[in-house]
Amino acid sequence: MIITKEMLNQKVPQDMIPTRLDSALNLYTNIHYKNETGIIVYNINPSTWNCLYSFYELNHKFTIDNYKFNSEYPTYRELIEEYRSVYYKVYEQEKGYNKETRINILRDEFKNTFKLNNVNINDELEPIFELKFSKSKNMWTLYYFENYVANEVDNINILLSQNLYEQKILPLDSSITNIDGIDITSNITYLLSIESNIEKLNRNLIEC
């Protein structure tokens, strides 16, 4: 469940209060290629998830298990504010993963994954928080998605012809929930519903 702005002042149901914090760094590339325009999405783990994602970096993510929030009856806003506070203290201050470091990690992982020489990350998109039940861990998790967009990729043809993951081009349309029968992850469809994100993606369009 994506936590929208309209939900912020609502109380979190008691049986949905998360006990785990998790995160991911996402990178979006908006391209125009052979009469198609949209972001590249990947089916990274078809045997397990079979879902289309943006490129993400998980090797250096922030995560805490068995976390207890300060308030017994928090609002969604209070969940997010406390998450941000812990994230800043533990991840940024104690472990040294400030924003510049995180962007460099995301860029390097993208380059290494697809054997690219240079990638430029130009803009940050709106962050997204999602509350989701993990069946494997039997607990609710509060996810933080930090989203960036690239405006330059050298050897774009290498990226477009990569065969490590199945990939699709997703138009910037939040009403599209699947491509060729493969679902698009909910944080992407929500990201595309925010006008400021569409403006930034269009501003960073890569012509192929």
Short mmCIF file of all heavy atoms in Angstrom, two decimals, residues 1-10 75-77 80 127-131 142 186 190-191 193-194:
data_model
loop_
_atom_site.label_atom_id
_atom_site.label_comp_id
_atom_site.label_asym_id
_atom_site.label_seq_id
_atom_site.Cartn_x
_atom_site.Cartn_y
_atom_site.Cartn_z
N MET A 1 0.83 -1.18 0.00
CA MET A 1 0.00 0.00 0.00
C MET A 1 0.87 1.25 0.00
O MET A 1 1.64 1.47 0.93
CB MET A 1 -0.92 0.01 1.23
CG MET A 1 -1.80 1.22 1.35
SD MET A 1 -2.78 1.22 2.87
CE MET A 1 -1.50 1.33 4.12
N ILE A 2 0.76 2.05 -1.06
CA ILE A 2 1.50 3.30 -1.13
C ILE A 2 0.89 4.30 -0.14
O ILE A 2 -0.33 4.44 -0.06
CB ILE A 2 1.45 3.89 -2.55
CG1 ILE A 2 2.03 2.90 -3.57
CG2 ILE A 2 2.19 5.22 -2.60
CD1 ILE A 2 3.49 2.63 -3.41
N ILE A 3 1.73 4.99 0.60
CA ILE A 3 1.25 6.01 1.53
C ILE A 3 1.16 7.33 0.76
O ILE A 3 2.18 7.94 0.42
CB ILE A 3 2.17 6.14 2.75
CG1 ILE A 3 2.24 4.81 3.49
CG2 ILE A 3 1.66 7.25 3.68
CD1 ILE A 3 3.19 4.82 4.69
N THR A 4 -0.04 7.74 0.45
CA THR A 4 -0.26 8.96 -0.32
C THR A 4 -0.37 10.16 0.62
O THR A 4 -0.55 10.01 1.84
CB THR A 4 -1.54 8.85 -1.15
OG1 THR A 4 -2.68 8.78 -0.27
CG2 THR A 4 -1.51 7.59 -2.02
N LYS A 5 -0.31 11.35 0.05
CA LYS A 5 -0.42 12.57 0.85
C LYS A 5 -1.77 12.65 1.56
O LYS A 5 -1.88 13.20 2.66
CB LYS A 5 -0.21 13.79 -0.05
CG LYS A 5 1.21 13.92 -0.56
CD LYS A 5 1.37 15.15 -1.45
CE LYS A 5 2.81 15.25 -1.96
NZ LYS A 5 3.01 16.42 -2.85
N GLU A 6 -2.79 12.11 0.93
CA GLU A 6 -4.13 12.17 1.51
C GLU A 6 -4.25 11.29 2.75
O GLU A 6 -5.17 11.47 3.58
CB GLU A 6 -5.17 11.71 0.48
CG GLU A 6 -5.36 12.64 -0.71
CD GLU A 6 -4.21 12.58 -1.71
OE1 GLU A 6 -3.48 11.55 -1.73
OE2 GLU A 6 -4.02 13.55 -2.46
N MET A 7 -3.33 10.35 2.92
CA MET A 7 -3.40 9.42 4.04
C MET A 7 -2.60 9.87 5.26
O MET A 7 -2.72 9.27 6.34
CB MET A 7 -2.85 8.05 3.60
CG MET A 7 -3.64 7.36 2.53
SD MET A 7 -2.76 5.90 1.89
CE MET A 7 -2.52 4.94 3.40
N LEU A 8 -1.79 10.90 5.12
CA LEU A 8 -0.78 11.20 6.13
C LEU A 8 -1.34 11.40 7.54
O LEU A 8 -0.70 11.01 8.52
CB LEU A 8 0.02 12.44 5.71
CG LEU A 8 0.94 12.24 4.50
CD1 LEU A 8 1.63 13.56 4.13
CD2 LEU A 8 1.99 11.16 4.80
N ASN A 9 -2.49 12.01 7.66
CA ASN A 9 -3.03 12.30 9.00
C ASN A 9 -3.93 11.19 9.53
O ASN A 9 -4.48 11.31 10.63
CB ASN A 9 -3.79 13.62 8.98
CG ASN A 9 -2.86 14.80 8.75
OD1 ASN A 9 -1.72 14.80 9.23
ND2 ASN A 9 -3.31 15.80 8.01
N GLN A 10 -4.07 10.11 8.78
CA GLN A 10 -4.87 8.98 9.23
C GLN A 10 -4.06 8.10 10.18
O GLN A 10 -2.85 7.98 10.05
CB GLN A 10 -5.35 8.15 8.04
CG GLN A 10 -6.24 8.89 7.06
CD GLN A 10 -6.57 8.04 5.85
OE1 GLN A 10 -6.40 6.82 5.85
NE2 GLN A 10 -7.03 8.69 4.80
N THR A 75 0.11 8.01 13.26
CA THR A 75 -0.44 8.30 11.95
C THR A 75 0.60 7.88 10.91
O THR A 75 1.75 7.60 11.23
CB THR A 75 -0.72 9.80 11.80
OG1 THR A 75 0.54 10.51 11.90
CG2 THR A 75 -1.69 10.31 12.86
N TYR A 76 0.17 7.86 9.65
CA TYR A 76 1.13 7.54 8.59
C TYR A 76 2.23 8.60 8.52
O TYR A 76 3.39 8.29 8.23
CB TYR A 76 0.41 7.42 7.24
CG TYR A 76 -0.47 6.20 7.15
CD1 TYR A 76 -1.85 6.30 7.34
CD2 TYR A 76 0.07 4.95 6.90
CE1 TYR A 76 -2.66 5.18 7.27
CE2 TYR A 76 -0.74 3.83 6.82
CZ TYR A 76 -2.11 3.95 7.02
OH TYR A 76 -2.90 2.82 6.94
N ARG A 77 1.87 9.83 8.80
CA ARG A 77 2.88 10.90 8.82
C ARG A 77 3.93 10.64 9.89
O ARG A 77 5.13 10.80 9.66
CB ARG A 77 2.20 12.25 9.09
CG ARG A 77 3.17 13.44 9.03
CD ARG A 77 2.50 14.72 9.51
NE ARG A 77 1.28 15.00 8.76
CZ ARG A 77 1.26 15.63 7.58
NH1 ARG A 77 2.40 16.02 7.03
NH2 ARG A 77 0.11 15.85 6.98
N ILE A 80 6.41 7.99 8.82
CA ILE A 80 7.39 8.51 7.86
C ILE A 80 8.41 9.40 8.55
O ILE A 80 9.62 9.30 8.30
CB ILE A 80 6.67 9.25 6.72
CG1 ILE A 80 5.93 8.25 5.83
CG2 ILE A 80 7.67 10.06 5.89
CD1 ILE A 80 5.07 8.88 4.78
N PRO A 127 10.23 11.02 -3.47
CA PRO A 127 10.40 9.75 -2.75
C PRO A 127 9.03 9.11 -2.49
O PRO A 127 8.01 9.79 -2.47
CB PRO A 127 11.07 10.17 -1.45
CG PRO A 127 10.61 11.57 -1.23
CD PRO A 127 10.49 12.18 -2.60
N ILE A 128 9.04 7.81 -2.28
CA ILE A 128 7.79 7.08 -2.05
C ILE A 128 7.95 6.18 -0.82
O ILE A 128 8.98 5.52 -0.66
CB ILE A 128 7.44 6.21 -3.28
CG1 ILE A 128 7.11 7.11 -4.48
CG2 ILE A 128 6.26 5.28 -2.98
CD1 ILE A 128 6.92 6.35 -5.77
N PHE A 129 6.93 6.18 0.01
CA PHE A 129 6.87 5.25 1.14
C PHE A 129 5.74 4.26 0.89
O PHE A 129 4.64 4.64 0.47
CB PHE A 129 6.63 6.01 2.45
CG PHE A 129 7.84 6.71 2.97
CD1 PHE A 129 8.13 8.00 2.57
CD2 PHE A 129 8.71 6.08 3.85
CE1 PHE A 129 9.26 8.67 3.04
CE2 PHE A 129 9.84 6.73 4.33
CZ PHE A 129 10.12 8.03 3.92
N GLU A 130 6.02 3.00 1.15
CA GLU A 130 5.02 1.96 0.95
C GLU A 130 4.98 1.04 2.16
O GLU A 130 6.02 0.64 2.68
CB GLU A 130 5.34 1.14 -0.30
CG GLU A 130 4.31 0.06 -0.59
CD GLU A 130 4.55 -0.67 -1.90
OE1 GLU A 130 5.66 -0.55 -2.45
OE2 GLU A 130 3.64 -1.37 -2.37
N LEU A 131 3.78 0.75 2.61
CA LEU A 131 3.58 -0.19 3.72
C LEU A 131 3.13 -1.51 3.12
O LEU A 131 2.12 -1.57 2.42
CB LEU A 131 2.53 0.37 4.68
CG LEU A 131 2.32 -0.35 6.01
CD1 LEU A 131 3.63 -0.40 6.80
CD2 LEU A 131 1.24 0.34 6.80
N LEU A 142 7.86 -1.10 6.36
CA LEU A 142 7.75 0.24 5.79
C LEU A 142 8.94 0.44 4.85
O LEU A 142 10.09 0.44 5.28
CB LEU A 142 7.77 1.30 6.89
CG LEU A 142 7.63 2.75 6.42
CD1 LEU A 142 6.33 2.96 5.64
CD2 LEU A 142 7.68 3.70 7.62
N SER A 186 3.85 -1.43 -8.01
CA SER A 186 2.95 -0.33 -7.66
C SER A 186 3.66 0.99 -7.41
O SER A 186 3.09 2.06 -7.65
CB SER A 186 2.14 -0.71 -6.41
OG SER A 186 3.01 -1.00 -5.32
N TYR A 190 2.53 4.63 -9.16
CA TYR A 190 2.28 5.80 -8.32
C TYR A 190 3.24 6.94 -8.69
O TYR A 190 2.83 8.11 -8.77
CB TYR A 190 2.43 5.45 -6.84
CG TYR A 190 2.19 6.64 -5.94
CD1 TYR A 190 0.91 7.19 -5.82
CD2 TYR A 190 3.23 7.21 -5.22
CE1 TYR A 190 0.68 8.29 -5.01
CE2 TYR A 190 3.01 8.30 -4.41
CZ TYR A 190 1.73 8.84 -4.30
OH TYR A 190 1.52 9.94 -3.51
N LEU A 191 4.50 6.61 -8.90
CA LEU A 191 5.48 7.63 -9.29
C LEU A 191 5.03 8.37 -10.54
O LEU A 191 5.18 9.59 -10.64
CB LEU A 191 6.84 6.99 -9.49
CG LEU A 191 7.99 7.91 -9.89
CD1 LEU A 191 9.26 7.57 -9.13
CD2 LEU A 191 8.28 7.84 -11.39
N SER A 193 2.06 8.96 -11.46
CA SER A 193 0.85 9.74 -11.23
C SER A 193 1.14 11.14 -10.70
O SER A 193 0.24 11.96 -10.56
CB SER A 193 -0.07 9.00 -10.24
OG SER A 193 0.45 9.06 -8.92
N ILE A 194 2.41 11.42 -10.41
CA ILE A 194 2.81 12.71 -9.84
C ILE A 194 3.35 13.60 -10.96
O ILE A 194 4.33 13.26 -11.62
CB ILE A 194 3.87 12.51 -8.74
CG1 ILE A 194 3.31 11.63 -7.62
CG2 ILE A 194 4.33 13.85 -8.18
CD1 ILE A 194 4.33 11.22 -6.58
#
